[in-house]
Amino acid sequence: MTTTTDLVSYEDALASYDPVMGLEVHVELGTKTKMFCGCSTVLGADPNTQTCPVCLGLPGALPVVNATGVESAIKIGLALNCEIAEWCRFARKNYFYPDMPKNFQTSQYDEPIAFNGYLDVQLEDGETFRVEIERAHMEEDTGKSTHVGGATGRIHGASHSLLDYNRAGIPLIEIVTKPIVGAGERAPEVAKAYVRELREVIRALGVSEARMEMGQMRCDVNLSLMPKGADKFGTRSETKNVNSLRSVERAVRFEIQRHAAVLSDGGTIVQETRHFHEDTGSTTSGRVKEEAEDYRYFPEPDLVPVAPSREWVEEIRAALPELPLVRRNRLREEWGISGTDMQAILNAGALDLIVATIDAGADAASARKWWMGELARQANESGKALDELAITPQQVARVTELVASGDLNDKLARQVIEGVLAGEGTPDEVVEGRGLKVVSDEGALTAAVEEAIAGNPAIADKVRGGKVAAAGALVGAVMKATRGQADAARVKELILQKLGVSEG
């Protein structure tokens, strides 16, 4: 069995092999009730308190399809440029596992609701890569197993397992790509960009929060390698339930290196599921799948087919929101920024915050400046995401307004932001409480300027002699005397006036 040490370098792997990926993403829909019953989907309830005979698979219980779940599936399909089936059915996927109370999963097999689509994704350098979509189908989630007593939290070595069926029956959409070829050395980046873009699409549609850290969206990474020049796919591995963007990227990279090590040593890739380990960025073997699973699919006899009318589909299409890629390109053009700048905003998680700040009255340049500058620094120092900071876009917009009006300069504005983050109140309350307003009284400024000139006669003489740059020291003296609350540009004007020197 290949271990974490049995790797070749990434460069050597790509010199000999071409990676082929397949990404299967499961998205939990944000419906109020489960896919086939009326049980609540609210997170955090006590174990096994959100169940009923239907989602527990008790004899005689009959399922009913969640209409909102079907509508959400159609929205996702349309957003992914898929064809929407005029008629499709649910099927029973039969397998035994303790967290499957019915011993089958209600899913879709050869008749998915959406198929044959694509999603364009932007890479770090602005290049667009098209990922072809095979299908998006409806199904239900399983329960949750908690394995107790082992060292890894997995079933191997555990003394016993606890089962919670609250999650069993929650609506899922599984989105399956066609084989992704041609990505080459950028395969890990393409995988990450695809899952990120898919998450943004899902959130824009409002059908799920798609929070990967909470299991609302998870990715299975299928990977194989082909020798350079070959036209037949290699044997694939399937890394299950990868739950962060960074982990998707790391899993692809690791499996490329692992596969290449096995193949270069004359070995054979085992078709299997694998587990990803966040701490090491490595994968380990899970369950061998030497041949395709026989799930004995057959049409679900207790559910009628789903046949969305073309009129309904077109109504849903017409109501779709502006999709993320289109929105980003529009904003980038409106703001006059580069693709690299937009990517930096996305990486910082600042896009929606900047838009909300602009909507609250700030100009685009100022909104970007404060979120990507001072606030990004504060977030980094505190180990928080930008949207976790204790400041709202409306408050940031107020800070920009105070700067634009001349009541604050940038130095004072940073202190105001610091005060808001510290819980001292609104920007206006912090200004009042800390006494941070810019000194605009001409008399007070003039007195401070005269004092600075009198206290620094040698520097004043240099300025009079034509060394205008030396005035910076006098400006600094005035700013110190006013605790940074003077307008530096106005202070310099007054100094030059007093010394009879022209700026030019």
Side-chain angles (χ1 to χ4, degrees):
M1 182 67 66
T2 299
T3 67
T4 56
T5 59
D6 296 322
L7 302 177
V8 300
S9 74
Y10 189 69
E11 293 73 18
D12 287 346
L14 271 297
S16 301
Y17 302 97
D18 290 320
V20 179
M21 297 184 294
L23 302 173
E24 302 172 14
V25 175
H26 290 83
V27 178
E28 276 189 4
L29 298 179
T31 54
K32 293 181 180 179
T33 58
K34 294 184 180 181
M35 192 66 197
F36 303 111
C37 66
C39 290
S40 172
T41 59
V42 175
L43 296 175
D46 290 337
N48 298 306
T49 58
Q50 295 176 171
T51 60
C52 72
V54 173
C55 55
L56 291 177
L58 299 184
L62 292 175
V64 177
V65 175
N66 186 322
T68 302
V70 175
E71 182 177 358
S72 297
I74 295 172
K75 286 181 179 179
I76 292 172
L78 292 173
L80 297 178
N81 304 288
C82 290
E83 299 176 49
I84 305 300
E86 296 189 22
W87 188 94
C88 61
R89 289 185 295 187
F90 285 98
R92 290 190 180 184
K93 180 181 181 182
N94 294 276
Y95 65 97
F96 171 77
Y97 203 73
D99 60 12
M100 281 292 299
K102 298 185 294 189
N103 287 340
F104 65 85
Q105 180 186 34
T106 305
S107 181
Q108 291 189 301
Y109 178 47
D110 55 346
E111 298 166 317
I113 192 165
F115 55 94
N116 195 29
Y118 65 87
L119 181 63
D120 288 332
V121 301
Q122 283 186 335
L123 306 182
E124 294 286 343
D125 60 359
E127 179 184 341
T128 298
F129 191 98
R130 175 163 291 185
V131 177
E132 302 283 347
I133 306 295
E134 177 72 34
R135 58 192 280 143
H137 65 260
M138 300 179 286
E139 59 186 25
E140 59 181 337
D141 210 345
T142 60
K144 180 181 179 182
S145 299
T146 302
H147 305 298
V148 183
T152 64
R154 302 189 185 280
I155 194 168
H156 301 293
S159 60
H160 62 284
S161 297
L162 304 175
L163 297 173
D164 177 8
Y165 292 121
N166 283 352
R167 197 175 67 184
I170 286 182
L172 285 181
I173 302 297
E174 181 176 355
I175 302 158
V176 182
T177 69
K178 295 180 181 178
I180 302 171
V181 297
E185 65 181 9
R186 305 189 75 174
E189 183 187 355
V190 167
K192 177 182 177 182
Y194 167 74
V195 177
R196 177 176 58 206
E197 188 68 21
L198 184 57
R199 182 185 66 181
E200 295 306 309
V201 168
I202 296 297
R203 288 176 174 175
L205 295 173
V207 298
S208 173
E209 293 181 358
R211 296 179 62 178
M212 297 187 75
E213 74 280 6
M214 294 180 63
Q216 294 172 336
M217 179 171 169
R218 41 198 194 267
C219 179
D220 296 343
V221 176
N222 293 271
L223 186 121
S224 65
L225 295 182
M226 292 191 301
K228 291 285 187 181
D231 56 6
K232 183 179 179 182
F233 295 162
T235 302
R236 65 181 175 88
S237 61
E238 182 181 6
T239 305
K240 302 289 286 185
N241 295 325
V242 185
N243 64 357
S244 77
L245 298 179
R246 180 169 178 262
S247 295
V248 168
E249 184 176 33
R250 294 171 77 199
V252 171
R253 178 178 288 268
F254 181 88
E255 283 296 282
I256 287 174
Q257 293 179 261
R258 186 185 68 83
H259 279 229
V262 173
L263 295 173
S264 298
D265 198 37
T268 301
I269 297 296
V270 176
Q271 184 169 328
E272 62 183 350
T273 63
R274 296 184 68 84
H275 301 300
F276 180 77
H277 301 279
E278 297 278 353
D279 54 346
T280 62
S282 63
T283 68
T284 55
S285 181
R287 178 166 52 91
V288 173
K289 300 172 70 174
E290 293 184 356
E291 297 180 1
E293 295 277 5
D294 179 12
Y295 289 115
R296 295 179 293 113
Y297 282 100
F298 63 87
E300 169 57 67
D302 292 333
L303 289 170
V304 298
V306 176
S309 71
R310 296 304 90 182
E311 293 77 17
W312 187 35
V313 171
E314 292 310 311
E315 285 176 10
I316 294 173
R317 189 194 305 275
L320 289 179
E322 184 180 37
L323 294 178
L325 181 58
V326 175
R327 177 183 183 233
R328 291 199 303 271
N329 287 338
R330 173 179 61 79
L331 291 174
R332 185 171 63 80
E333 188 172 335
E334 288 178 2
W335 296 348
I337 61 175
S338 68
T340 302
D341 289 337
M342 178 58 82
Q343 192 61 53
I345 289 171
L346 292 175
N347 291 342
L351 183 60
D352 289 339
L353 295 168
I354 291 171
V355 170
T357 303
I358 295 169
D359 290 344
D363 64 88
S366 296
R368 293 198 310 275
K369 167 186 170 181
W370 289 106
W371 281 110
M372 295 299 291
E374 177 63 16
L375 288 162
R377 183 186 69 80
Q378 293 275 0
N380 185 57
E381 288 184 357
S382 62
K384 295 181 178 179
L386 276 176
D387 61 3
E388 294 175 331
L389 292 177
I391 191 168
T392 66
Q394 292 72 25
Q395 290 171 330
V396 177
R398 178 56 180 159
V399 171
T400 70
E401 183 182 356
L402 291 169
V403 172
S405 67
D407 289 330
L408 295 177
N409 56 31
D410 280 4
K411 180 179 179 181
L412 295 175
R414 285 192 289 273
Q415 294 181 51
V416 172
I417 287 173
E418 181 183 276
V420 173
L421 293 174
E424 297 173 21
T426 66
D428 292 283
E429 289 169 343
V430 174
V431 168
E432 184 68 25
R434 293 193 178 193
L436 294 178
K437 221 168 189 180
V438 163
V439 176
S440 56
D441 184 294
E442 286 287 311
L445 280 181
T446 300
V449 166
E450 290 173 346
E451 184 177 339
I453 291 172
N456 299 276
I459 296 175
D461 286 342
K462 286 184 180 180
V463 176
R464 290 191 186 96
K467 294 184 178 179
V468 177
L474 298 176
V475 172
V478 173
M479 297 303 289
K480 183 177 180 180
T482 60
R483 294 187 302 155
Q485 292 177 236
D487 182 334
R490 180 58 181 152
V491 168
K492 186 176 181 181
E493 288 177 6
L494 289 173
I495 289 171
L496 297 180
Q497 285 177 17
K498 288 291 181 183
L499 298 178
V501 177
S502 170
E503 178 76 50

